[in-house]
Amino acid sequence: MNDLVRQHTALDDSDLEWLHLLVSEWQLLSDLSFADLVLWVPTSDGTRYVSVAQMRPNTGPTSYQDDMVGHLVPRGRRPMLDAALDEGRIVREGDPEWREEVPVRVESIPVRRESRVLGVIARNTNLLTVRTPSRLELTYLQSASDLAQMIAAGSFPFPNQQVDMDASPRAGDGLIRLDADGVVQYASPNALSAYHRLGLAADLVGHHLGKTTAELAPVRGPVDEALVKLASGWAPREFEVEGGDGVIQLRAIPLKPKGLHIGSLVLLRDVTELRRRERELITKDATIREIHHRVKNNLQTVAALLRLQARRMDSAQGREALNEAVRRVGSIAIVHETLSQNLDERVEFDDIADRVLAMVAEISPGKVTGRRTGRFGILDAEVATPLSMVLTEVLQNALEHGFGPGEQGTVEVSAVRGGSGEESRLAVVVQDDGRGLPEGFDPQRAGNLGLQIVRTLVEGELGGTFDMVPAPERGTRVVLDFPMGAEKH
């Protein structure tokens, strides 16, 4: 719609915003009218109309099998469009049109914003299935007529009240028509069923909706008075009411077809099951986060016990082995701490990598600077946990064996994600400028426990490859490469 309006018409951005507001609401007009809606806007030179939006009803057969958006028609070909635009009134004159052996009643509704008519809505009703209307259909049509008059007067849609039609109740979900005092004139079967779920034992017709709703809601006091006003339809609002065994979502639409408040439409939807599922998900999410939090706490307790045991050991070799175990447990704890703060089983690994790098750097015998380049991105927990351990072992090995006491240097961790979908991969390079590898060193056969852990995790858990080679100039370069499966952002 933006492109069509800017290309063909003289409307400004504020006018375009009004049309967007209208289009966000007009599914309701289409459903209440049992009719297709097409929005026509005059072109800049005033010689033609361009159709910028279209809506089909959910409550009846369509009058247009084809998409009308983008069509141009010359002024004069459709006299009712001209009359509605020029005179600023709803035009209903004329006999039904025949389209592919289907009779269609056409009406034109001017779209007014303040003192100007921006365009015209063509309302097209398929008359092939016309029959004696029921009370529900008569209520729909009367409400549609009131809304059409409000559009022509510029009082609908309501400014600053753009509606999310996916989340907002629709006419078919449940509809209540109120008079000017807030008394129910008509309630659709779905609306009545929703109120029965709240605990209503009687009919709604003839009762004040605001007071009835407040009586069914468990809250009393000032909120009670606000609820009475909201459910009386005094202002355009959306709200929810919970009572008995149900939760209903309501949307109030004041009706002022000629500037005078004559009543209201209240659309409502039974959202009991939806809210129940949301609560279950929230409870499950909270439980999962709590589990990760407790695992993190338990791991930190284990690390503290190992650290305490290390202090009591006389053997330097045994003390160092326990300290290495402390760091391994700590890297896993970092992952679970991150998971305890998320709503799903995925983590932003860049933060974990930075924390692991800082943790391992503390044990360096030299003055080594660590840095990270590139992005790991978001990883599944089943990848993040083994990768954090691998990163810990590789960094620990680089700092312990690459630098002596007092030596200065740098360790860089870089990550590159490549490919897409099932072919996506993550390449991780850890490079230092330390002493380098001893002559004849084979990382695939080395008996060092840390390297055994790395090989097992990379090849077994991650399904990737691991190699350790001399850096191009000085030091050691460790390369990890493994598949990511379907990439997640």
Side-chain angles (χ1 to χ4, degrees), residues 56 76 79 92 99 103 135 139 165-166 204 207 243 246 278 286 293 296 308 324 328 354 367 397 416 422 434 441-442:
R56 294 184 173 88
R92 295 190 176 92
R99 299 176 188 162
R135 178 73 188 280
T139 304
M165 290 306 299
D166 292 332
L204 273 173
H207 293 271
E278 287 177 350
H293 180 70
K296 182 262 296 185
L308 182 63
E324 287 183 3
R328 289 164 186 150
D354 292 340
K367 299 179 181 180
N397 187 77
V416 177
E422 296 297 328
F441 179 80
D442 184 355

Side-chain angles (χ1 to χ4, degrees), residues 277-312:
R277 290 195 295 270
E278 287 177 350
R279 287 167 184 163
E280 287 180 352
L281 288 174
I282 290 172
T283 302
K284 289 179 181 178
D285 287 339
T287 301
I288 292 171
R289 288 198 298 271
E290 178 62 20
I291 289 172
H292 285 303
H293 180 70
R294 294 189 182 187
V295 170
K296 182 262 296 185
N297 287 345
N298 290 340
L299 289 171
Q300 289 180 336
T301 301
V302 170
L305 292 173
L306 292 173
R307 195 178 294 111
L308 182 63
Q309 185 66 38
R311 293 197 190 104
R312 293 173 176 268

Side-chain angles (χ1 to χ4, degrees), residues 242-258:
E242 182 172 358
D245 296 325
V247 183
I248 59 174
Q249 179 185 10
L250 300 98
R251 181 190 177 202
I253 302 173
L255 296 176
K256 302 178 181 180
K258 296 181 180 178

Side-chain angles (χ1 to χ4, degrees), residues 182-204:
V183 176
V184 178
Q185 294 179 310
Y186 175 79
S188 71
N190 284 346
L192 193 57
S193 295
Y195 265 82
H196 284 166
R197 193 157 188 178
L198 286 183
L200 180 70
D203 194 0
L204 273 173

Side-chain angles (χ1 to χ4, degrees), residues 59-324:
T59 52
T62 182
S63 302
Y64 286 111
Q65 298 299 326
D66 298 328
D67 186 0
M68 295 296 297
V69 175
H71 283 218
L72 289 161
V73 297
R75 182 178 172 89
R77 179 175 296 178
R78 300 189 179 182
M80 284 195 289
L81 289 182
D82 299 338
L85 183 70
D86 297 339
E87 300 172 24
R89 65 179 179 89
I90 298 175
V91 180
R92 295 190 176 92
E93 297 90 346
D95 296 326
E97 297 180 3
W98 287 84
R99 299 176 188 162
E100 299 180 357
E101 300 183 355
V102 175
V104 177
R105 182 174 65 241
V106 181
E107 304 165 89
S108 295
I109 305 167
V111 176
R112 185 181 298 275
R113 175 175 178 258
E114 298 174 348
S115 60
R116 297 165 49 237
V117 176
L118 306 183
V120 179
I121 294 175
R123 180 163 56 177
N124 302 267
T125 308
N126 188 324
L127 300 177
L128 196 60
T129 57
V130 169
R131 54 185 172 79
T132 303
S134 64
R135 178 73 188 280
L136 181 145
E137 291 168 331
L138 288 173
T139 304
Y140 271 31
L141 292 171
Q142 179 58 53
S143 301
S145 177
D146 294 335
L147 287 177
Q149 292 183 58
M150 291 170 65
I151 291 173
S155 57
F156 187 83
F158 304 110
N160 304 318
Q161 288 288 326
Q162 188 159 355
V163 174
D164 180 359
M165 290 306 299
D166 292 332
S168 184
R170 298 193 179 193
D173 296 325
L175 178 143
I176 297 174
R177 174 87 185 211
L178 308 179
D179 65 13
D181 297 322
V183 176
V184 178
Q185 294 179 310
Y186 175 79
S188 71
N190 284 346
L192 193 57
S193 295
Y195 265 82
H196 284 166
R197 193 157 188 178
L198 286 183
L200 180 70
D203 194 0
L204 273 173
V205 175
H207 293 271
H208 190 280
L209 185 66
K211 294 178 180 178
T212 300
T213 304
E215 289 171 359
L216 295 171
V219 182
R220 295 291 180 265
V223 177
D224 207 28
E225 298 178 7
L227 183 58
V228 171
K229 292 183 178 180
L230 286 172
S232 300
W234 66 280
R237 293 288 187 275
E238 285 197 24
F239 55 101
E240 284 190 6
V241 174
E242 182 172 358
D245 296 325
V247 183
I248 59 174
Q249 179 185 10
L250 300 98
R251 181 190 177 202
I253 302 173
L255 296 176
K256 302 178 181 180
K258 296 181 180 178
L260 182 67
H261 181 72
I262 65 167
S264 305
L265 274 183
V266 177
L267 307 179
L268 64 150
R269 174 187 295 162
D270 185 344
V271 293
T272 306
E273 294 305 315
L274 178 61
R275 296 296 175 258
R276 181 185 63 81
R277 290 195 295 270
E278 287 177 350
R279 287 167 184 163
E280 287 180 352
L281 288 174
I282 290 172
T283 302
K284 289 179 181 178
D285 287 339
T287 301
I288 292 171
R289 288 198 298 271
E290 178 62 20
I291 289 172
H292 285 303
H293 180 70
R294 294 189 182 187
V295 170
K296 182 262 296 185
N297 287 345
N298 290 340
L299 289 171
Q300 289 180 336
T301 301
V302 170
L305 292 173
L306 292 173
R307 195 178 294 111
L308 182 63
Q309 185 66 38
R311 293 197 190 104
R312 293 173 176 268
M313 292 197 72
D314 296 329
S315 169
Q317 186 176 4
R319 191 162 51 249
E320 180 56 32
L322 286 177
N323 285 331
E324 287 183 3

